[in-house]
Amino acid sequence: MAEPKKLFIKTYGCQMNVYDSARMAEAMGADGYVLTEDQAQADMVLLNTCHIREKAAEKLYSDLGRLKPVKAEKPDLKIAVAGCVAQAEGEEIVNRMPLVDLVVGPQSYHKLPAMARGEGPRVLTEFPEEDKFDHLPKARATRRAPTAFLTVQEGCDKFCAFCVVPYTRGAEVSRPVDRILAEARDLVGRGVREITLLGQNVNGWHGAGPDGREWQFGRLIRAIAEIDGLDRIRYTTSHPNDMTDDLIAAHGDEPKLMPYLHLPVQSGSDRVLKAMNRKHTADAYLRLIDRIRAARPDIMLTSDFIAGFPGETDQDHRDTLRLIEAVGYGSAFSFKYSARPGTPAAGREEVPSEVADARLQELQALLSRQQKAAQQSMVGRRLGVLFEKKGREAGQMVGKSDYLHSVFVAAPEAKIGELVEVEITHSAPNSLAGRLV
Ligand code: 5AD
Ligand code: SF4
């Protein structure tokens, strides 16, 4: 028997890329490829890229540069580029880096095996009519992990002025209810106890329910929550304007829906929000947070912020700091504005780089103080922890709390996939420690 061919995948960027990489691995698996963790062993290297900020996109080219001598030694090595840089730059990638054999955009992943066999085009970045998920193989039954991602929605119609996603991932498309439920049941059948529903604008999901009615995202969560054996549901990423009443209510009355919500606001200044085309004010966001907290008082909120968006003044920046103070986040990401080709904000006059840097540092300092306080507030509490892997020390397990903190627990008898009650004893910079109750 011939040795199976080996596939090495590097995934950049968001959780949807992690999910997509797994699906591409499955598709290539049907063609006889097995995954390897060792790039030196690979017959094919697949780079699943991110285009969200310039730095993220540049990583692709530096990695390709490093692959040049590898390919010179091993001319049969196939190099494929997938993801949002593939979508945005297409043909340009092979022109700039001729060592790249294949370029495939996110909506064409089901065509990757044929392309790798030489039966397709070298560059494929169309938005095809058919649903790639109908053509990708089902998840393999071998991988046993207690947590999984499940893409329910792709694309974005919001067109925030800074963002490439509406161009790289395309228009919003919701997957049908029956497919989502079948995939969720399948995951639970394989031992998954926590599912994170993914979408670029996940709470904009909608679709025809089996009852003949149009379902919104809250209804979908309730249907998934009915699956026996599933303990936890999370979702990301949401837009404030799509937080429907039913979804907010689900945070109060659906026990499997975890008390954690990533709800990016980007800025606390109405002027900047308008220039960003966010279509909500800072006050509307704060009122929304009040309603979410009324439904689920202990919910952990996280967000994304952009420092130095074109036109941002010191006053705008102070408004953002004030909004952060008013909300009190569990953690948050903040980024320096990065002009992306083709987006509406790309041509606008930029804030001086050092000013944007200083604002970013101020945001990060405040957010990390809030993160520390939020973690400290967990000490002494009893939380559910789902064990995901062994810790570094003997007899130690690591899992996620209800609030998505990593928690280290001495639990020599415990198994991966167990959901246990833990008393939190200690807060470290990016994790918690606790003991079994
Ligand atoms: N510059 C900086 N940050 C950006 N983000 C998206 N586009 C840009 C950009 N051009 C950030 C937003 C978004 C997160 C995923 O990345 O905060 O919520
Ligand atoms: Fe990008 Fe999110 Fe805005 Fe959509 S809602 S354009 S994905 S930042």
Side-chain angles (χ1 to χ4, degrees), residues 94-109:
V94 290
N95 294 340
R96 185 165 159 190
M97 288 286 182
L99 83 167
V100 173
D101 298 285
L102 304 169
V103 175
V104 60
Q107 301 315 323
S108 304
Y109 290 160

mmCIF file of all heavy atoms in Angstrom, residues 94-109:
data_model
loop_
_atom_site.group_PDB
_atom_site.id
_atom_site.type_symbol
_atom_site.label_atom_id
_atom_site.label_comp_id
_atom_site.label_asym_id
_atom_site.label_seq_id
_atom_site.Cartn_x
_atom_site.Cartn_y
_atom_site.Cartn_z
ATOM 1 N N VAL A 94 -0.356 34.416 -6.732
ATOM 2 C CA VAL A 94 0.531 33.603 -7.574
ATOM 3 C C VAL A 94 1.496 34.466 -8.387
ATOM 4 O O VAL A 94 2.604 34.041 -8.692
ATOM 5 C CB VAL A 94 -0.229 32.616 -8.502
ATOM 6 C CG1 VAL A 94 -0.862 31.506 -7.700
ATOM 7 C CG2 VAL A 94 -1.268 33.318 -9.336
ATOM 8 N N ASN A 95 1.063 35.698 -8.710
ATOM 9 C CA ASN A 95 1.989 36.590 -9.416
ATOM 10 C C ASN A 95 3.147 36.991 -8.513
ATOM 11 O O ASN A 95 4.299 36.996 -8.938
ATOM 12 C CB ASN A 95 1.264 37.842 -9.916
ATOM 13 C CG ASN A 95 0.234 37.496 -10.973
ATOM 14 O OD1 ASN A 95 0.305 36.428 -11.593
ATOM 15 N ND2 ASN A 95 -0.746 38.370 -11.171
ATOM 16 N N ARG A 96 2.814 37.335 -7.264
ATOM 17 C CA ARG A 96 3.849 37.785 -6.338
ATOM 18 C C ARG A 96 4.679 36.617 -5.823
ATOM 19 O O ARG A 96 5.881 36.759 -5.582
ATOM 20 C CB ARG A 96 3.142 38.507 -5.181
ATOM 21 C CG ARG A 96 4.062 39.134 -4.184
ATOM 22 C CD ARG A 96 3.288 40.116 -3.305
ATOM 23 N NE ARG A 96 3.998 40.348 -2.051
ATOM 24 C CZ ARG A 96 3.509 40.989 -1.009
ATOM 25 N NH1 ARG A 96 2.271 41.459 -1.050
ATOM 26 N NH2 ARG A 96 4.220 41.161 0.093
ATOM 27 N N MET A 97 4.045 35.456 -5.689
ATOM 28 C CA MET A 97 4.707 34.279 -5.120
ATOM 29 C C MET A 97 4.440 33.067 -6.008
ATOM 30 O O MET A 97 3.522 32.277 -5.736
ATOM 31 C CB MET A 97 4.167 34.009 -3.705
ATOM 32 C CG MET A 97 4.624 35.015 -2.675
ATOM 33 S SD MET A 97 6.370 34.704 -2.285
ATOM 34 C CE MET A 97 6.647 35.956 -1.046
ATOM 35 N N PRO A 98 5.213 32.911 -7.099
ATOM 36 C CA PRO A 98 4.931 31.822 -8.050
ATOM 37 C C PRO A 98 5.036 30.425 -7.430
ATOM 38 O O PRO A 98 4.560 29.456 -8.026
ATOM 39 C CB PRO A 98 5.993 32.019 -9.137
ATOM 40 C CG PRO A 98 6.484 33.413 -8.961
ATOM 41 C CD PRO A 98 6.340 33.753 -7.523
ATOM 42 N N LEU A 99 5.643 30.316 -6.266
ATOM 43 C CA LEU A 99 5.723 28.986 -5.653
ATOM 44 C C LEU A 99 4.358 28.481 -5.180
ATOM 45 O O LEU A 99 4.197 27.293 -4.900
ATOM 46 C CB LEU A 99 6.732 28.979 -4.497
ATOM 47 C CG LEU A 99 6.297 29.468 -3.111
ATOM 48 C CD1 LEU A 99 7.336 29.079 -2.086
ATOM 49 C CD2 LEU A 99 6.055 30.948 -3.074
ATOM 50 N N VAL A 100 3.369 29.379 -5.126
ATOM 51 C CA VAL A 100 2.030 28.966 -4.704
ATOM 52 C C VAL A 100 1.344 28.209 -5.838
ATOM 53 O O VAL A 100 1.253 28.700 -6.963
ATOM 54 C CB VAL A 100 1.184 30.190 -4.284
ATOM 55 C CG1 VAL A 100 -0.261 29.786 -4.017
ATOM 56 C CG2 VAL A 100 1.798 30.854 -3.056
ATOM 57 N N ASP A 101 0.875 26.981 -5.542
ATOM 58 C CA ASP A 101 0.232 26.161 -6.569
ATOM 59 C C ASP A 101 -1.251 26.458 -6.697
ATOM 60 O O ASP A 101 -1.795 26.422 -7.790
ATOM 61 C CB ASP A 101 0.412 24.675 -6.228
ATOM 62 C CG ASP A 101 1.864 24.281 -6.208
ATOM 63 O OD1 ASP A 101 2.437 24.161 -7.302
ATOM 64 O OD2 ASP A 101 2.443 24.121 -5.111
ATOM 65 N N LEU A 102 -1.897 26.707 -5.552
ATOM 66 C CA LEU A 102 -3.349 26.842 -5.553
ATOM 67 C C LEU A 102 -3.790 27.977 -4.653
ATOM 68 O O LEU A 102 -3.212 28.194 -3.585
ATOM 69 C CB LEU A 102 -4.004 25.564 -5.003
ATOM 70 C CG LEU A 102 -3.669 24.243 -5.690
ATOM 71 C CD1 LEU A 102 -4.179 23.088 -4.848
ATOM 72 C CD2 LEU A 102 -4.272 24.215 -7.084
ATOM 73 N N VAL A 103 -4.843 28.682 -5.096
ATOM 74 C CA VAL A 103 -5.445 29.736 -4.283
ATOM 75 C C VAL A 103 -6.949 29.471 -4.269
ATOM 76 O O VAL A 103 -7.574 29.383 -5.330
ATOM 77 C CB VAL A 103 -5.162 31.132 -4.883
ATOM 78 C CG1 VAL A 103 -5.905 32.210 -4.105
ATOM 79 C CG2 VAL A 103 -3.656 31.423 -4.887
ATOM 80 N N VAL A 104 -7.527 29.335 -3.067
ATOM 81 C CA VAL A 104 -8.944 28.992 -2.989
ATOM 82 C C VAL A 104 -9.642 29.862 -1.948
ATOM 83 O O VAL A 104 -9.222 29.964 -0.803
ATOM 84 C CB VAL A 104 -9.138 27.472 -2.726
ATOM 85 C CG1 VAL A 104 -8.505 27.019 -1.421
ATOM 86 C CG2 VAL A 104 -10.609 27.086 -2.756
ATOM 87 N N GLY A 105 -10.714 30.542 -2.407
ATOM 88 C CA GLY A 105 -11.482 31.423 -1.520
ATOM 89 C C GLY A 105 -12.439 30.628 -0.638
ATOM 90 O O GLY A 105 -12.750 29.467 -0.926
ATOM 91 N N PRO A 106 -12.920 31.246 0.442
ATOM 92 C CA PRO A 106 -13.715 30.547 1.454
ATOM 93 C C PRO A 106 -14.990 29.871 0.939
ATOM 94 O O PRO A 106 -15.469 28.933 1.560
ATOM 95 C CB PRO A 106 -14.078 31.646 2.457
ATOM 96 C CG PRO A 106 -13.019 32.676 2.308
ATOM 97 C CD PRO A 106 -12.611 32.640 0.856
ATOM 98 N N GLN A 107 -15.545 30.351 -0.160
ATOM 99 C CA GLN A 107 -16.798 29.726 -0.620
ATOM 100 C C GLN A 107 -16.560 28.558 -1.568
ATOM 101 O O GLN A 107 -17.509 27.957 -2.077
ATOM 102 C CB GLN A 107 -17.699 30.769 -1.283
ATOM 103 C CG GLN A 107 -18.080 31.917 -0.370
ATOM 104 C CD GLN A 107 -18.515 31.468 1.024
ATOM 105 O OE1 GLN A 107 -19.170 30.435 1.197
ATOM 106 N NE2 GLN A 107 -18.130 32.223 2.035
ATOM 107 N N SER A 108 -15.300 28.211 -1.812
ATOM 108 C CA SER A 108 -15.001 27.153 -2.791
ATOM 109 C C SER A 108 -14.202 25.998 -2.180
ATOM 110 O O SER A 108 -13.589 25.222 -2.915
ATOM 111 C CB SER A 108 -14.227 27.751 -3.972
ATOM 112 O OG SER A 108 -14.948 28.808 -4.554
ATOM 113 N N TYR A 109 -14.220 25.873 -0.869
ATOM 114 C CA TYR A 109 -13.372 24.860 -0.232
ATOM 115 C C TYR A 109 -13.697 23.428 -0.672
ATOM 116 O O TYR A 109 -12.839 22.555 -0.659
ATOM 117 C CB TYR A 109 -13.457 24.961 1.300
ATOM 118 C CG TYR A 109 -12.787 26.195 1.860
ATOM 119 C CD1 TYR A 109 -13.108 26.663 3.132
ATOM 120 C CD2 TYR A 109 -11.833 26.890 1.127
ATOM 121 C CE1 TYR A 109 -12.490 27.796 3.650
ATOM 122 C CE2 TYR A 109 -11.225 28.026 1.634
ATOM 123 C CZ TYR A 109 -11.553 28.469 2.895
ATOM 124 O OH TYR A 109 -10.948 29.580 3.407
#
